[in-house]
Amino acid sequence: MANSVYISLLEEGVNAWNQWRDENKEARPDLRGINLFKKQLQGVNFRDVDLTGAGLEKAELANAVFSMADLTDVRMAGANLSRSI
């Protein structure tokens, strides 16, 4: 299950999350099973994040970074992934 510390950081918003990621490049956040249904996450940095089993349905993920992320069993139906990498 997703680590509550990482969930709290993400709930602070994309800017706070991305700043923390920039300052903690060695971290591999655990967001397994998190529900981000319809969340506004444009430009979020999910590089090297464990998103196993996460629900990203209908989430706004334009310009998001997913490189090296574990996307096993992630549900993304209806998500906007335009310009994501």
Side-chain angles (χ1 to χ4, degrees):
M1 201 57 170
N3 184 310
S4 61
V5 172
Y6 299 128
I7 293 171
S8 295
L9 278 168
L10 192 54
E11 287 175 349
E12 289 180 33
V14 171
N15 290 337
W17 171 265
N18 286 349
Q19 179 178 345
W20 182 84
R21 294 303 316 273
D22 287 344
E23 295 167 359
N24 296 275
K25 293 185 187 313
E26 74 290 343
R28 187 166 193 267
D30 177 359
L31 292 176
R32 289 177 289 157
I34 193 169
N35 181 3
L36 298 172
F37 179 75
K38 288 190 174 182
K39 295 289 184 186
Q40 297 296 311
L41 298 168
Q42 297 93 329
V44 69
N45 179 359
F46 280 147
R47 178 180 174 79
D48 207 25
V49 172
D50 188 349
L51 289 164
T52 301
L56 303 177
E57 297 97 331
K58 298 187 179 182
E60 182 58 56
L61 296 161
N63 299 309
V65 176
F66 291 101
S67 58
M68 306 289 288
D70 188 338
L71 300 174
T72 304
D73 297 326
V74 171
R75 299 171 314 280
M76 294 185 174
N80 179 1
L81 297 166
S82 62
R83 298 176 308 284
S84 293
I85 57 172

